[in-house]
Amino acid sequence: MKNVLIIGSTGQIGSELTMKLRSIYTNGNIVAGYIPGAEPKGELKESGPSALVDITNPQQIADAVEKYQIDTIYNLAALLSAVAEAKPQLAWKIGVGGLFNTLEVAREKRCAVFTPSSIGSFGPETPKDKTPQDTIRNPRTMYGVTKVTGEMLSDYYFRHFGVDTRSVRFPGLISYVTPPGGGTTDYAVDIYYAAAKGEKFLCPIAAGTFMDMMYMPDALRAAIEIMEADPSKFIHRNSFNIASMSFDPEIIYHKIKEYRPDFQMEYQVDPLRQSIAESWPNSLDDTCAREEWGWKPEYDLDAMTRDMLDKLSARFGKQQ
Ligand code: SER
């Protein structure tokens, strides 16, 4: 990787990945692709080039790739699961149409492409615990349909055209920088904001609902390490299960209470998010990622909780 285009650079993953890549690849162009209304600001804007790249517009992708001699594209444009249920046509247009546009440019210009998949690519018939790498998927959400299609399309472009496509199935991602929007796992971010602000948290997911989660520093490392990995050991490409922790609302609530004994949570279950969460696995088996490219998480729930509360408390002015 030298010259990298991040499509969706101002989103939850993109805003942090762009800065991380700029800190590592100091000799190249790390280009922040954005859409109108979501322009880069502050450090993200000042620290490197940016380009208008709407993933539904193939010419804009091609122009940025040409102008900056891009060799690697991070395709981070997507609608998260709950929003995608409200706007399924747009979710398909961005998730699948946008990926197709990206892969076509990558085929012509010989770029590598990273496109995240998700725990949302699985469905109710999938084995729930330690979900294997290769198993039945059959998602029920439009988000999942776009992710499974994206995995298959990316593998097709690798096998048929030799495009270097690689991907991981991200769990719910937790960070204190840019909030997610419209996902089913968002509660595990929102709960820390409530705790740091000293507010009661209304939990939209029911007790006993387990999902895989990951702290953003591990997710960024996964996205970079898989693109840097020697592919000679790859049996899979699109997409690898990765995992670091699995919990339900009670477990994260009690973990936060260890550091904030006054913190309170009540349940106000959102039927849409709850039904999506119930259709997803409890925990993934990431053996293939560990064996094929050396994946290993660094943060567990305790380490993540301490860091999230420290960072958010500093921002909201409340100390432990
Ligand atoms: N975080 C995503 C969502 O909840 C899942 O990958 O939609």
Side-chain angles (χ1 to χ4, degrees):
M1 279 195 280
K2 183 165 186 287
N3 297 323
V4 182
L5 171 64
I6 298 101
I7 301 178
S9 69
T10 60
Q12 190 203 11
I13 304 173
S15 56
E16 291 191 60
L17 184 66
T18 306
M19 296 308 296
K20 175 113 185 158
L21 290 170
R22 282 180 180 162
S23 73
I24 300 171
Y25 300 96
T26 47
N27 292 326
N29 285 313
I30 308 297
V31 182
Y34 65 90
I35 52 171
E39 291 84 359
K41 295 190 181 75
E43 225 191 343
L44 191 60
K45 182 175 180 204
E46 308 307 330
S47 58
S50 44
L52 178 65
V53 180
D54 179 339
I55 198 161
T56 64
N57 183 330
Q59 195 57 49
Q60 288 180 357
I61 305 171
D63 288 348
V65 165
E66 189 69 32
K67 178 170 177 192
Y68 293 101
Q69 297 294 294
I70 297 297
D71 54 73
T72 304
I73 302 173
Y74 279 89
N75 161 25
L76 305 178
L79 298 188
L80 290 182
S81 55
V83 177
E85 286 310 286
K87 301 175 182 172
Q89 296 84 357
L90 184 60
W92 178 269
K93 190 175 172 192
I94 293 170
V96 180
L99 172 60
F100 179 79
N101 295 339
T102 306
L103 290 171
E104 272 296 288
V105 171
R107 179 179 67 78
E108 282 174 11
K109 314 268 186 195
R110 312 308 302 164
C111 303
V113 180
F114 175 88
T115 307
S117 185
S118 161
I119 53 171
S121 62
F122 296 110
E125 288 102 21
T126 303
K128 280 224 168 298
D129 295 301
K130 287 276 163 205
T131 301
Q133 171 69 39
D134 301 305
T135 188
I136 189 161
R137 286 178 288 184
N138 288 358
R140 294 288 162 82
T141 61
M142 178 50 92
Y143 180 69
V145 169
T146 66
K147 290 301 182 191
V148 171
T149 308
E151 290 186 11
M152 294 195 293
L153 196 58
S154 297
D155 272 341
Y156 181 87
Y157 267 70
F158 170 67
R159 289 200 199 100
H160 203 79
F161 298 120
V163 177
D164 186 0
T165 53
R166 307 180 187 192
S167 170
V168 296
R169 293 179 181 136
F170 276 135
L173 298 182
I174 296 165
S175 77
Y176 57 86
V177 178
T178 306
T184 301
T185 57
D186 294 12
Y187 91 89
V189 177
D190 299 340
I191 194 171
Y192 287 113
Y193 277 76
K197 289 177 179 169
E199 293 170 357
K200 182 195 274 185
F201 181 59
L202 295 176
C203 186
I205 299 293
T209 312
F210 280 76
M211 287 183 278
D212 262 318
M213 303 281 179
M214 183 174 287
Y215 199 32
M216 189 61 88
D218 274 337
L220 300 180
R221 223 168 26 76
I224 294 170
E225 285 179 9
I226 192 175
M227 295 312 284
E228 286 181 334
D230 170 3
S232 64
K233 278 201 196 158
F234 282 1
I235 297 165
H236 302 86
R237 277 181 171 267
N238 303 282
S239 175
F240 283 95
N241 285 1
I242 58 169
S244 61
M245 62 186 98
S246 169
F247 53 75
D248 82 325
E250 287 294 307
I251 293 174
I252 186 171
Y253 170 58
H254 286 289
K255 176 54 73 181
I256 292 172
K257 268 181 100 68
E258 285 177 23
Y259 299 98
R260 295 300 160 89
D262 295 337
F263 181 49
Q264 295 296 318
M265 178 173 88
E266 255 178 40
Y267 288 96
Q268 197 174 85
V269 173
D270 169 20
L272 172 64
R273 283 182 168 81
Q274 183 60 28
S275 72
I276 294 174
E278 284 173 13
S279 78
W280 289 354
N282 297 334
S283 65
L284 302 190
D285 179 344
D286 61 1
T287 308
C288 292
R290 289 171 184 262
E291 290 179 355
E292 293 173 41
W293 51 278
W295 158 248
K296 197 170 183 299
E298 285 174 359
Y299 284 86
D300 61 11
L301 177 59
D302 189 60
M304 175 176 81
T305 299
R306 280 188 278 115
D307 203 44
M308 283 292 286
L309 291 176
D310 278 356
K311 298 293 190 329
L312 289 173
S313 298
R315 187 183 311 166
F316 297 119
K318 290 206 169 58
Q319 296 308 319
Q320 287 185 44

